[in-house]
Amino acid sequence: MLFALVCKDKPDHLQVRLDNRPAHLEFLRKLNDAGKLKFAGPFLDDEGKSTGTLAVIEAADKLEAAKIGADDPYAKAGLFESVSIRAWTWVFNNPANPSNP
């Protein structure tokens, strides 16, 4: 099952993001290698500065998705003001299902 993790950064926490970015990227690489990460990237403000994260992951259920999200170095560093976890279905442009409806 796929889950979208929509994470909003705390205001004025850009340095926390920058300081923890290498560990965050390594975390995402490991998720990708395990086949759990479908895609991820930052949300940007009008000046192009990161303000949050969108990650779509594969997990057995919402509880596992929440655990994966909590293990992210950004989450452990206290970067996020909020995290929303939503079940999601990838319909269009899904490389695992090239015969989109």
Side-chain angles (χ1 to χ4, degrees):
M1 195 168 186
L2 296 179
F3 292 89
L5 282 69
V6 180
C7 311
K8 181 179 177 185
D9 291 2
K10 291 177 182 172
D12 302 318
H13 272 62
L14 182 58
Q15 193 60 51
V16 173
R17 176 176 278 276
L18 296 173
D19 291 346
N20 289 279
R21 189 168 190 269
H24 169 74
L25 294 177
E26 181 60 24
F27 173 77
L28 292 179
R29 282 186 197 96
K30 288 179 181 177
L31 278 180
N32 189 59
D33 291 348
K36 298 257 182 204
L37 179 66
K38 299 306 175 186
F39 58 85
F43 290 108
L44 305 175
D45 66 12
D46 292 340
E47 288 84 41
K49 294 179 184 167
S50 299
T51 61
T53 298
L54 169 63
V56 174
I57 60 171
E58 188 168 336
D61 53 33
K62 191 172 183 177
L63 187 62
E64 181 186 4
K67 181 176 180 345
I68 291 170
D71 287 341
D72 185 325
Y74 281 167
K76 289 181 175 184
L79 174 62
F80 300 135
E81 176 178 273
S82 65
V83 177
S84 173
I85 301 171
R86 306 274 313 263
W88 186 73
T89 301
W90 195 345
V91 177
F92 285 94
N93 296 325
N94 181 341
N97 183 14
S99 61
N100 295 315

